Amino acid sequence: MSTQDPGFKAALEEARQGSQEGGVPIGSALVAADGKILGQGHNMRIQKGSATLHAEISTFENAGRLPASAYRGATVYTTLSPCDMCTGACVMYKVKRVVIGENRTFVGGEEYLKSRGIEVIVLDNDECHSLMQKFIKEKPEDWYEDIGEDE
């Protein structure tokens, strides 16, 4: 797994798009075992006034209704360590691995994913980190709301 994977590139492009829209710059992609991108999305909480449209949830939504077999062997790429809600979605659909752009800004449910047999790979990508740091500096209240915490 590397930053050159089409799934990671799609997730990073989604994060950039979210940033351009003024939203939380987190992107994600769901890639089937055969390498086909099944869905991709970015955090849309600010843009849509949503309580739940984190990047991974947006990705699953954009992938549409799929049979359980579609998730077997699949990889979720996400530019930031997934929160508990998004971790739960990965566990529920029994994806094989989660590839994380960076976890310096936030560490989500990585240990829980591992405990459920899901491979976790952290790429420690500087662009993912920079996008988040810029957003947090400019909109700290939106960041803390997004992760369900007080400032």
Side-chain angles (χ1 to χ4, degrees):
M1 298 290 127
S2 80
T3 58
Q4 297 308 305
D5 292 349
F8 178 75
K9 288 180 176 182
L12 184 54
E13 185 54 40
E14 289 285 341
R16 291 176 185 139
Q17 182 177 341
S19 179
Q20 291 169 357
E21 294 170 359
V24 183
I26 303 170
S28 178
L30 173 65
V31 179
D34 67 3
K36 178 183 176 193
I37 295 177
L38 299 174
Q40 60 191 70
H42 57 277
N43 186 304
M44 296 288 290
R45 289 190 72 246
I46 292 171
Q47 298 91 316
K48 294 200 173 190
S50 170
T52 59
L53 274 180
H54 281 190
E56 298 87 346
I57 302 303
S58 179
T59 294
F60 284 115
E61 181 68 20
N62 291 337
R65 187 175 171 187
L66 298 171
S69 61
Y71 302 102
R72 302 304 177 258
T75 299
V76 169
Y77 290 85
T78 180
T79 59
L80 184 67
S81 184
C83 73
D84 290 341
M85 175 176 64
C86 298
T87 293
C90 293
V91 170
M92 183 176 129
Y93 290 114
K94 299 177 179 70
V95 299
K96 179 179 180 177
R97 86 178 50 85
V98 175
V99 177
I100 298 166
E102 71 103 348
N103 66 357
R104 287 179 272 165
T105 301
F106 176 83
V107 177
E110 295 174 30
E111 291 306 315
Y112 184 65
L113 289 166
K114 292 175 188 176
S115 77
R116 296 298 299 260
I118 297 172
E119 180 183 9
V120 174
I121 298 169
V122 180
L123 300 175
D124 196 26
N125 179 267
D126 287 333
E127 184 177 355
C128 293
H129 185 255
S130 295
L131 282 167
M132 288 306 304
Q133 294 310 300
K134 179 179 185 287
F135 179 80
I136 293 168
K137 182 178 179 183
E138 293 174 358
K139 299 181 179 181
E141 66 286 346
D142 288 333
W143 166 244
Y144 288 109
E145 176 189 308
D146 195 67
I147 59 172
E149 292 184 10
D150 295 328
E151 285 187 55

